[in-house]
Amino acid sequence: MVIVLEKGIAEENLQNVIDHLEKFGFAVHKSVGAEHTVLGAIGVKPGFDIRQLKILKGVREVYRITEPFKLASRTFKSQNTEIKINDIVIGGTEVVVMAGPCSVESEDQVFRIAKTVSESGARILRGGAFKPRTSPYAFQGLGEKGLEILRKAGDKFNLLVITEVMETSQIQMVAEYADILQVGARNMQNYYLLKELGKIDKPVMIKRGMAASIEEWLMSAEYILSGGKSNVMLCERGIRTFETYTRNTFDLSAIPVVHQISHLPVIADPSHATGLRDKVIPMARAAVAAGADGLMIEVHDDPDNALSDGPQALLPDQFNDLMNQIKNIAQVIGRKI
Ligand code: PEP
Ligand code: MN
């Protein structure tokens, strides 16, 4: 940590800052410049709140040099994390595509969509059985029946299954049916849920919260990793901004940023990020070009009658076109689909 002090700080205030740092267990180095005196505080104090220094008299600015996340950091592990599930590797050279409806609506619906996305080259079937809806009157999902349908469809069409878990009491049930457990954007900071997910073996994908910084998102991953688990992936699904032409703002740059500071795979979800069918294909292409390790795409064969997120669902033919396009993009950057 670097602490820049106010110009001409009084000796007693300077000593007070040093005393505080030493009390917190830091080794302190002082550097007196022509304009400012700067203190270097050495040592890692997990959970240390830099505001404890910012409020001290004579302190102008405090900069942290090391990230608050450790296990999720590239400094801790320089090699990319590869998550192997059966014959699929997430975080390797393949860009893994997850596709399916927003919600599991019926067995017929999931089977039809699973068949088409699998034929187009998707590797993982998505679908919500427990749905986090803004309105309590909106469709809330089929629950365990929905999980059963996903599993059956996944097995039939040789797809892995990813689905959302919303609360701790559902973890065991969801883990029985799914290959990957999804933490939704609204639950990214549900720390009790994250801690419990750190105790299971199955991989977890954490979606970025609607107003979460990249650091907060990685801290959520840290919660799961600190349970001793290593198979965690992240999913950029757009953040809320002042922009209204799209449902959310797709933070494309989060992909290279996370790749630089973390070893965890990053999946991109242009469906929730844009909320509009005609924006999904261009942003999916961009995500692959930016180095995403996978895509999550909502697909529906009757989106006008979908029980959730119809306007952002690709039609099966559009999904097939997208798969053909991103194969070429992946090849250019030395990856495959
Ligand atoms: C979803 O993937 O179905 C979903 C609800 O996404 P998010 O949590 O990103 O809104
Ligand atoms: Mn959805």
PDB file of all heavy atoms in Angstrom, residues 7-42:
ATOM      1  N   LYS A   7       0.887  17.895   1.488  1.00  0.00           N
ATOM      2  CA  LYS A   7       2.076  18.756   1.441  1.00  0.00           C
ATOM      3  C   LYS A   7       2.212  19.445   2.804  1.00  0.00           C
ATOM      4  O   LYS A   7       1.218  19.953   3.342  1.00  0.00           O
ATOM      5  CB  LYS A   7       1.814  19.826   0.383  1.00  0.00           C
ATOM      6  CG  LYS A   7       2.983  20.229  -0.415  1.00  0.00           C
ATOM      7  CD  LYS A   7       2.458  21.077  -1.569  1.00  0.00           C
ATOM      8  CE  LYS A   7       3.577  21.816  -2.213  1.00  0.00           C
ATOM      9  NZ  LYS A   7       3.077  22.596  -3.342  1.00  0.00           N
ATOM     10  N   GLY A   8       3.377  19.426   3.370  1.00  0.00           N
ATOM     11  CA  GLY A   8       3.625  20.126   4.625  1.00  0.00           C
ATOM     12  C   GLY A   8       2.889  19.543   5.815  1.00  0.00           C
ATOM     13  O   GLY A   8       2.494  20.270   6.740  1.00  0.00           O
ATOM     14  N   ILE A   9       2.665  18.227   5.812  1.00  0.00           N
ATOM     15  CA  ILE A   9       1.959  17.569   6.928  1.00  0.00           C
ATOM     16  C   ILE A   9       2.701  17.821   8.247  1.00  0.00           C
ATOM     17  O   ILE A   9       3.951  17.805   8.294  1.00  0.00           O
ATOM     18  CB  ILE A   9       1.812  16.044   6.645  1.00  0.00           C
ATOM     19  CG1 ILE A   9       1.033  15.348   7.772  1.00  0.00           C
ATOM     20  CG2 ILE A   9       3.158  15.392   6.435  1.00  0.00           C
ATOM     21  CD1 ILE A   9       0.748  13.868   7.517  1.00  0.00           C
ATOM     22  N   ALA A  10       1.940  18.097   9.295  1.00  0.00           N
ATOM     23  CA  ALA A  10       2.559  18.343  10.602  1.00  0.00           C
ATOM     24  C   ALA A  10       3.210  17.056  11.105  1.00  0.00           C
ATOM     25  O   ALA A  10       2.693  15.961  10.869  1.00  0.00           O
ATOM     26  CB  ALA A  10       1.496  18.809  11.585  1.00  0.00           C
ATOM     27  N   GLU A  11       4.345  17.204  11.777  1.00  0.00           N
ATOM     28  CA  GLU A  11       5.120  16.049  12.253  1.00  0.00           C
ATOM     29  C   GLU A  11       4.259  15.097  13.081  1.00  0.00           C
ATOM     30  O   GLU A  11       4.328  13.881  12.940  1.00  0.00           O
ATOM     31  CB  GLU A  11       6.316  16.567  13.063  1.00  0.00           C
ATOM     32  CG  GLU A  11       7.352  15.507  13.391  1.00  0.00           C
ATOM     33  CD  GLU A  11       7.859  14.728  12.156  1.00  0.00           C
ATOM     34  OE1 GLU A  11       8.078  15.336  11.078  1.00  0.00           O
ATOM     35  OE2 GLU A  11       8.003  13.500  12.284  1.00  0.00           O
ATOM     36  N   GLU A  12       3.387  15.691  13.964  1.00  0.00           N
ATOM     37  CA  GLU A  12       2.579  14.819  14.840  1.00  0.00           C
ATOM     38  C   GLU A  12       1.553  14.007  14.031  1.00  0.00           C
ATOM     39  O   GLU A  12       1.258  12.856  14.359  1.00  0.00           O
ATOM     40  CB  GLU A  12       1.878  15.645  15.924  1.00  0.00           C
ATOM     41  CG  GLU A  12       0.760  16.513  15.385  1.00  0.00           C
ATOM     42  CD  GLU A  12       0.536  17.771  16.200  1.00  0.00           C
ATOM     43  OE1 GLU A  12       1.456  18.624  16.211  1.00  0.00           O
ATOM     44  OE2 GLU A  12      -0.532  17.875  16.808  1.00  0.00           O
ATOM     45  N   ASN A  13       1.037  14.609  12.930  1.00  0.00           N
ATOM     46  CA  ASN A  13       0.076  13.874  12.095  1.00  0.00           C
ATOM     47  C   ASN A  13       0.783  12.750  11.336  1.00  0.00           C
ATOM     48  O   ASN A  13       0.251  11.652  11.182  1.00  0.00           O
ATOM     49  CB  ASN A  13      -0.624  14.819  11.114  1.00  0.00           C
ATOM     50  CG  ASN A  13      -1.565  15.777  11.836  1.00  0.00           C
ATOM     51  OD1 ASN A  13      -2.021  15.478  12.950  1.00  0.00           O
ATOM     52  ND2 ASN A  13      -1.832  16.920  11.235  1.00  0.00           N
ATOM     53  N   LEU A  14       1.980  13.044  10.852  1.00  0.00           N
ATOM     54  CA  LEU A  14       2.762  12.036  10.157  1.00  0.00           C
ATOM     55  C   LEU A  14       3.024  10.853  11.093  1.00  0.00           C
ATOM     56  O   LEU A  14       2.831   9.689  10.736  1.00  0.00           O
ATOM     57  CB  LEU A  14       4.092  12.648   9.689  1.00  0.00           C
ATOM     58  CG  LEU A  14       5.116  11.672   9.116  1.00  0.00           C
ATOM     59  CD1 LEU A  14       4.587  10.977   7.862  1.00  0.00           C
ATOM     60  CD2 LEU A  14       6.422  12.399   8.783  1.00  0.00           C
ATOM     61  N   GLN A  15       3.426  11.171  12.325  1.00  0.00           N
ATOM     62  CA  GLN A  15       3.713  10.114  13.292  1.00  0.00           C
ATOM     63  C   GLN A  15       2.460   9.296  13.597  1.00  0.00           C
ATOM     64  O   GLN A  15       2.515   8.076  13.743  1.00  0.00           O
ATOM     65  CB  GLN A  15       4.288  10.736  14.587  1.00  0.00           C
ATOM     66  CG  GLN A  15       4.987   9.718  15.493  1.00  0.00           C
ATOM     67  CD  GLN A  15       6.012   8.833  14.749  1.00  0.00           C
ATOM     68  OE1 GLN A  15       6.885   9.330  14.045  1.00  0.00           O
ATOM     69  NE2 GLN A  15       5.886   7.510  14.884  1.00  0.00           N
ATOM     70  N   ASN A  16       1.327   9.988  13.640  1.00  0.00           N
ATOM     71  CA  ASN A  16       0.055   9.306  13.906  1.00  0.00           C
ATOM     72  C   ASN A  16      -0.272   8.279  12.805  1.00  0.00           C
ATOM     73  O   ASN A  16      -0.715   7.165  13.095  1.00  0.00           O
ATOM     74  CB  ASN A  16      -1.064  10.366  14.011  1.00  0.00           C
ATOM     75  CG  ASN A  16      -2.395   9.727  14.357  1.00  0.00           C
ATOM     76  OD1 ASN A  16      -2.462   8.833  15.194  1.00  0.00           O
ATOM     77  ND2 ASN A  16      -3.451  10.170  13.698  1.00  0.00           N
ATOM     78  N   VAL A  17      -0.004   8.673  11.543  1.00  0.00           N
ATOM     79  CA  VAL A  17      -0.262   7.736  10.436  1.00  0.00           C
ATOM     80  C   VAL A  17       0.663   6.523  10.569  1.00  0.00           C
ATOM     81  O   VAL A  17       0.231   5.367  10.466  1.00  0.00           O
ATOM     82  CB  VAL A  17      -0.061   8.421   9.054  1.00  0.00           C
ATOM     83  CG1 VAL A  17      -0.282   7.421   7.919  1.00  0.00           C
ATOM     84  CG2 VAL A  17      -0.991   9.619   8.898  1.00  0.00           C
ATOM     85  N   ILE A  18       1.926   6.796  10.860  1.00  0.00           N
ATOM     86  CA  ILE A  18       2.897   5.694  11.016  1.00  0.00           C
ATOM     87  C   ILE A  18       2.478   4.780  12.171  1.00  0.00           C
ATOM     88  O   ILE A  18       2.474   3.553  12.038  1.00  0.00           O
ATOM     89  CB  ILE A  18       4.322   6.258  11.242  1.00  0.00           C
ATOM     90  CG1 ILE A  18       4.787   6.998   9.971  1.00  0.00           C
ATOM     91  CG2 ILE A  18       5.305   5.141  11.605  1.00  0.00           C
ATOM     92  CD1 ILE A  18       6.098   7.761  10.109  1.00  0.00           C
ATOM     93  N   ASP A  19       2.065   5.384  13.281  1.00  0.00           N
ATOM     94  CA  ASP A  19       1.624   4.582  14.438  1.00  0.00           C
ATOM     95  C   ASP A  19       0.452   3.674  14.067  1.00  0.00           C
ATOM     96  O   ASP A  19       0.409   2.500  14.455  1.00  0.00           O
ATOM     97  CB  ASP A  19       1.210   5.496  15.601  1.00  0.00           C
ATOM     98  CG  ASP A  19       2.420   6.210  16.212  1.00  0.00           C
ATOM     99  OD1 ASP A  19       3.567   5.804  15.880  1.00  0.00           O
ATOM    100  OD2 ASP A  19       2.225   7.169  16.987  1.00  0.00           O
ATOM    101  N   HIS A  20      -0.501   4.253  13.315  1.00  0.00           N
ATOM    102  CA  HIS A  20      -1.661   3.450  12.900  1.00  0.00           C
ATOM    103  C   HIS A  20      -1.224   2.256  12.056  1.00  0.00           C
ATOM    104  O   HIS A  20      -1.666   1.140  12.278  1.00  0.00           O
ATOM    105  CB  HIS A  20      -2.633   4.303  12.072  1.00  0.00           C
ATOM    106  CG  HIS A  20      -3.735   4.894  12.888  1.00  0.00           C
ATOM    107  ND1 HIS A  20      -3.569   6.027  13.655  1.00  0.00           N
ATOM    108  CD2 HIS A  20      -5.007   4.495  13.085  1.00  0.00           C
ATOM    109  CE1 HIS A  20      -4.699   6.299  14.268  1.00  0.00           C
ATOM    110  NE2 HIS A  20      -5.592   5.392  13.940  1.00  0.00           N
ATOM    111  N   LEU A  21      -0.342   2.527  11.079  1.00  0.00           N
ATOM    112  CA  LEU A  21       0.106   1.445  10.195  1.00  0.00           C
ATOM    113  C   LEU A  21       0.798   0.352  11.000  1.00  0.00           C
ATOM    114  O   LEU A  21       0.561  -0.843  10.797  1.00  0.00           O
ATOM    115  CB  LEU A  21       1.058   1.995   9.126  1.00  0.00           C
ATOM    116  CG  LEU A  21       0.383   2.817   8.025  1.00  0.00           C
ATOM    117  CD1 LEU A  21       1.419   3.574   7.213  1.00  0.00           C
ATOM    118  CD2 LEU A  21      -0.442   1.906   7.106  1.00  0.00           C
ATOM    119  N   GLU A  22       1.641   0.771  11.937  1.00  0.00           N
ATOM    120  CA  GLU A  22       2.369  -0.227  12.737  1.00  0.00           C
ATOM    121  C   GLU A  22       1.413  -1.005  13.634  1.00  0.00           C
ATOM    122  O   GLU A  22       1.566  -2.210  13.816  1.00  0.00           O
ATOM    123  CB  GLU A  22       3.478   0.468  13.529  1.00  0.00           C
ATOM    124  CG  GLU A  22       4.642   0.804  12.592  1.00  0.00           C
ATOM    125  CD  GLU A  22       5.762   1.623  13.228  1.00  0.00           C
ATOM    126  OE1 GLU A  22       5.583   2.108  14.381  1.00  0.00           O
ATOM    127  OE2 GLU A  22       6.803   1.784  12.555  1.00  0.00           O
ATOM    128  N   LYS A  23       0.415  -0.294  14.136  1.00  0.00           N
ATOM    129  CA  LYS A  23      -0.587  -0.970  14.980  1.00  0.00           C
ATOM    130  C   LYS A  23      -1.324  -2.052  14.170  1.00  0.00           C
ATOM    131  O   LYS A  23      -1.647  -3.118  14.676  1.00  0.00           O
ATOM    132  CB  LYS A  23      -1.587   0.062  15.507  1.00  0.00           C
ATOM    133  CG  LYS A  23      -2.501  -0.469  16.584  1.00  0.00           C
ATOM    134  CD  LYS A  23      -3.546   0.540  17.011  1.00  0.00           C
ATOM    135  CE  LYS A  23      -4.711   0.532  16.048  1.00  0.00           C
ATOM    136  NZ  LYS A  23      -5.622   1.643  16.190  1.00  0.00           N
ATOM    137  N   PHE A  24      -1.568  -1.761  12.875  1.00  0.00           N
ATOM    138  CA  PHE A  24      -2.251  -2.758  12.031  1.00  0.00           C
ATOM    139  C   PHE A  24      -1.288  -3.846  11.559  1.00  0.00           C
ATOM    140  O   PHE A  24      -1.670  -4.764  10.848  1.00  0.00           O
ATOM    141  CB  PHE A  24      -2.886  -2.077  10.811  1.00  0.00           C
ATOM    142  CG  PHE A  24      -4.065  -1.208  11.151  1.00  0.00           C
ATOM    143  CD1 PHE A  24      -4.086   0.135  10.797  1.00  0.00           C
ATOM    144  CD2 PHE A  24      -5.157  -1.727  11.836  1.00  0.00           C
ATOM    145  CE1 PHE A  24      -5.172   0.932  11.101  1.00  0.00           C
ATOM    146  CE2 PHE A  24      -6.247  -0.929  12.148  1.00  0.00           C
ATOM    147  CZ  PHE A  24      -6.261   0.413  11.784  1.00  0.00           C
ATOM    148  N   GLY A  25      -0.018  -3.733  11.899  1.00  0.00           N
ATOM    149  CA  GLY A  25       0.936  -4.788  11.590  1.00  0.00           C
ATOM    150  C   GLY A  25       1.731  -4.588  10.309  1.00  0.00           C
ATOM    151  O   GLY A  25       2.378  -5.517   9.829  1.00  0.00           O
ATOM    152  N   PHE A  26       1.688  -3.394   9.733  1.00  0.00           N
ATOM    153  CA  PHE A  26       2.459  -3.144   8.516  1.00  0.00           C
ATOM    154  C   PHE A  26       3.876  -2.708   8.876  1.00  0.00           C
ATOM    155  O   PHE A  26       4.088  -2.026   9.879  1.00  0.00           O
ATOM    156  CB  PHE A  26       1.820  -2.022   7.689  1.00  0.00           C
ATOM    157  CG  PHE A  26       0.482  -2.390   7.090  1.00  0.00           C
ATOM    158  CD1 PHE A  26      -0.695  -1.958   7.693  1.00  0.00           C
ATOM    159  CD2 PHE A  26       0.404  -3.155   5.938  1.00  0.00           C
ATOM    160  CE1 PHE A  26      -1.928  -2.284   7.139  1.00  0.00           C
ATOM    161  CE2 PHE A  26      -0.828  -3.486   5.380  1.00  0.00           C
ATOM    162  CZ  PHE A  26      -2.004  -3.047   5.995  1.00  0.00           C
ATOM    163  N   ALA A  27       4.827  -3.069   8.001  1.00  0.00           N
ATOM    164  CA  ALA A  27       6.171  -2.501   8.110  1.00  0.00           C
ATOM    165  C   ALA A  27       6.136  -1.204   7.299  1.00  0.00           C
ATOM    166  O   ALA A  27       5.622  -1.189   6.183  1.00  0.00           O
ATOM    167  CB  ALA A  27       7.189  -3.464   7.525  1.00  0.00           C
ATOM    168  N   VAL A  28       6.660  -0.111   7.845  1.00  0.00           N
ATOM    169  CA  VAL A  28       6.504   1.195   7.196  1.00  0.00           C
ATOM    170  C   VAL A  28       7.838   1.723   6.668  1.00  0.00           C
ATOM    171  O   VAL A  28       8.853   1.685   7.368  1.00  0.00           O
ATOM    172  CB  VAL A  28       5.903   2.206   8.205  1.00  0.00           C
ATOM    173  CG1 VAL A  28       5.654   3.552   7.517  1.00  0.00           C
ATOM    174  CG2 VAL A  28       4.607   1.677   8.799  1.00  0.00           C
ATOM    175  N   HIS A  29       7.806   2.189   5.422  1.00  0.00           N
ATOM    176  CA  HIS A  29       8.983   2.828   4.826  1.00  0.00           C
ATOM    177  C   HIS A  29       8.604   4.249   4.458  1.00  0.00           C
ATOM    178  O   HIS A  29       7.576   4.467   3.834  1.00  0.00           O
ATOM    179  CB  HIS A  29       9.422   2.068   3.567  1.00  0.00           C
ATOM    180  CG  HIS A  29       9.866   0.682   3.884  1.00  0.00           C
ATOM    181  ND1 HIS A  29      11.181   0.344   4.021  1.00  0.00           N
ATOM    182  CD2 HIS A  29       9.150  -0.435   4.128  1.00  0.00           C
ATOM    183  CE1 HIS A  29      11.261  -0.943   4.322  1.00  0.00           C
ATOM    184  NE2 HIS A  29      10.035  -1.429   4.398  1.00  0.00           N
ATOM    185  N   LYS A  30       9.479   5.190   4.836  1.00  0.00           N
ATOM    186  CA  LYS A  30       9.151   6.594   4.567  1.00  0.00           C
ATOM    187  C   LYS A  30      10.039   7.135   3.444  1.00  0.00           C
ATOM    188  O   LYS A  30      11.245   6.879   3.422  1.00  0.00           O
ATOM    189  CB  LYS A  30       9.381   7.407   5.850  1.00  0.00           C
ATOM    190  CG  LYS A  30       8.913   8.843   5.713  1.00  0.00           C
ATOM    191  CD  LYS A  30       8.801   9.536   7.056  1.00  0.00           C
ATOM    192  CE  LYS A  30      10.136  10.148   7.454  1.00  0.00           C
ATOM    193  NZ  LYS A  30      10.047  10.969   8.673  1.00  0.00           N
ATOM    194  N   SER A  31       9.409   7.868   2.517  1.00  0.00           N
ATOM    195  CA  SER A  31      10.197   8.491   1.465  1.00  0.00           C
ATOM    196  C   SER A  31       9.811   9.970   1.401  1.00  0.00           C
ATOM    197  O   SER A  31       8.649  10.321   1.168  1.00  0.00           O
ATOM    198  CB  SER A  31       9.899   7.766   0.140  1.00  0.00           C
ATOM    199  OG  SER A  31      10.086   8.630  -0.924  1.00  0.00           O
ATOM    200  N   VAL A  32      10.799  10.842   1.607  1.00  0.00           N
ATOM    201  CA  VAL A  32      10.512  12.280   1.625  1.00  0.00           C
ATOM    202  C   VAL A  32      10.890  12.875   0.276  1.00  0.00           C
ATOM    203  O   VAL A  32      12.042  12.863  -0.128  1.00  0.00           O
ATOM    204  CB  VAL A  32      11.306  12.971   2.762  1.00  0.00           C
ATOM    205  CG1 VAL A  32      10.954  14.462   2.834  1.00  0.00           C
ATOM    206  CG2 VAL A  32      11.015  12.293   4.096  1.00  0.00           C
ATOM    207  N   GLY A  33       9.884  13.364  -0.448  1.00  0.00           N
ATOM    208  CA  GLY A  33      10.128  13.954  -1.765  1.00  0.00           C
ATOM    209  C   GLY A  33      10.132  15.469  -1.676  1.00  0.00           C
ATOM    210  O   GLY A  33       9.873  16.033  -0.611  1.00  0.00           O
ATOM    211  N   ALA A  34      10.381  16.133  -2.827  1.00  0.00           N
ATOM    212  CA  ALA A  34      10.414  17.593  -2.844  1.00  0.00           C
ATOM    213  C   ALA A  34       9.040  18.157  -2.508  1.00  0.00           C
ATOM    214  O   ALA A  34       8.904  19.156  -1.806  1.00  0.00           O
ATOM    215  CB  ALA A  34      10.858  18.061  -4.227  1.00  0.00           C
ATOM    216  N   GLU A  35       7.986  17.484  -3.003  1.00  0.00           N
ATOM    217  CA  GLU A  35       6.617  17.971  -2.797  1.00  0.00           C
ATOM    218  C   GLU A  35       5.906  17.243  -1.655  1.00  0.00           C
ATOM    219  O   GLU A  35       5.324  17.857  -0.790  1.00  0.00           O
ATOM    220  CB  GLU A  35       5.811  17.741  -4.091  1.00  0.00           C
ATOM    221  CG  GLU A  35       6.230  18.612  -5.238  1.00  0.00           C
ATOM    222  CD  GLU A  35       5.497  19.946  -5.226  1.00  0.00           C
ATOM    223  OE1 GLU A  35       4.275  19.927  -5.074  1.00  0.00           O
ATOM    224  OE2 GLU A  35       6.164  20.993  -5.351  1.00  0.00           O
ATOM    225  N   HIS A  36       5.950  15.924  -1.717  1.00  0.00           N
ATOM    226  CA  HIS A  36       5.158  15.123  -0.781  1.00  0.00           C
ATOM    227  C   HIS A  36       6.001  14.077  -0.068  1.00  0.00           C
ATOM    228  O   HIS A  36       6.966  13.580  -0.616  1.00  0.00           O
ATOM    229  CB  HIS A  36       4.063  14.364  -1.542  1.00  0.00           C
ATOM    230  CG  HIS A  36       3.005  15.253  -2.090  1.00  0.00           C
ATOM    231  ND1 HIS A  36       1.986  15.743  -1.324  1.00  0.00           N
ATOM    232  CD2 HIS A  36       2.826  15.737  -3.333  1.00  0.00           C
ATOM    233  CE1 HIS A  36       1.205  16.508  -2.084  1.00  0.00           C
ATOM    234  NE2 HIS A  36       1.700  16.518  -3.301  1.00  0.00           N
ATOM    235  N   THR A  37       5.563  13.758   1.130  1.00  0.00           N
ATOM    236  CA  THR A  37       6.126  12.592   1.809  1.00  0.00           C
ATOM    237  C   THR A  37       5.202  11.417   1.507  1.00  0.00           C
ATOM    238  O   THR A  37       3.973  11.557   1.515  1.00  0.00           O
ATOM    239  CB  THR A  37       6.197  12.834   3.327  1.00  0.00           C
ATOM    240  OG1 THR A  37       7.086  13.932   3.539  1.00  0.00           O
ATOM    241  CG2 THR A  37       6.716  11.608   4.067  1.00  0.00           C
ATOM    242  N   VAL A  38       5.815  10.282   1.190  1.00  0.00           N
ATOM    243  CA  VAL A  38       5.046   9.086   0.839  1.00  0.00           C
ATOM    244  C   VAL A  38       5.447   7.958   1.779  1.00  0.00           C
ATOM    245  O   VAL A  38       6.637   7.781   2.066  1.00  0.00           O
ATOM    246  CB  VAL A  38       5.336   8.688  -0.631  1.00  0.00           C
ATOM    247  CG1 VAL A  38       4.705   7.361  -0.986  1.00  0.00           C
ATOM    248  CG2 VAL A  38       4.864   9.781  -1.584  1.00  0.00           C
ATOM    249  N   LEU A  39       4.446   7.203   2.259  1.00  0.00           N
ATOM    250  CA  LEU A  39       4.749   6.043   3.090  1.00  0.00           C
ATOM    251  C   LEU A  39       4.443   4.773   2.308  1.00  0.00           C
ATOM    252  O   LEU A  39       3.423   4.696   1.615  1.00  0.00           O
ATOM    253  CB  LEU A  39       3.888   6.053   4.361  1.00  0.00           C
ATOM    254  CG  LEU A  39       4.060   7.246   5.305  1.00  0.00           C
ATOM    255  CD1 LEU A  39       3.076   7.127   6.471  1.00  0.00           C
ATOM    256  CD2 LEU A  39       5.503   7.320   5.834  1.00  0.00           C
ATOM    257  N   GLY A  40       5.316   3.809   2.418  1.00  0.00           N
ATOM    258  CA  GLY A  40       5.052   2.495   1.829  1.00  0.00           C
ATOM    259  C   GLY A  40       4.731   1.555   2.980  1.00  0.00           C
ATOM    260  O   GLY A  40       5.496   1.469   3.942  1.00  0.00           O
ATOM    261  N   ALA A  41       3.588   0.892   2.915  1.00  0.00           N
ATOM    262  CA  ALA A  41       3.204  -0.043   3.982  1.00  0.00           C
ATOM    263  C   ALA A  41       3.306  -1.452   3.426  1.00  0.00           C
ATOM    264  O   ALA A  41       2.630  -1.792   2.456  1.00  0.00           O
ATOM    265  CB  ALA A  41       1.794   0.251   4.450  1.00  0.00           C
ATOM    266  N   ILE A  42       4.154  -2.267   4.001  1.00  0.00           N
ATOM    267  CA  ILE A  42       4.396  -3.610   3.476  1.00  0.00           C
ATOM    268  C   ILE A  42       3.725  -4.641   4.380  1.00  0.00           C
ATOM    269  O   ILE A  42       3.798  -4.555   5.607  1.00  0.00           O
ATOM    270  CB  ILE A  42       5.907  -3.935   3.432  1.00  0.00           C
ATOM    271  CG1 ILE A  42       6.702  -2.719   2.949  1.00  0.00           C
ATOM    272  CG2 ILE A  42       6.186  -5.201   2.629  1.00  0.00           C
ATOM    273  CD1 ILE A  42       6.890  -2.569   1.506  1.00  0.00           C
TER     274      ILE A  42
END
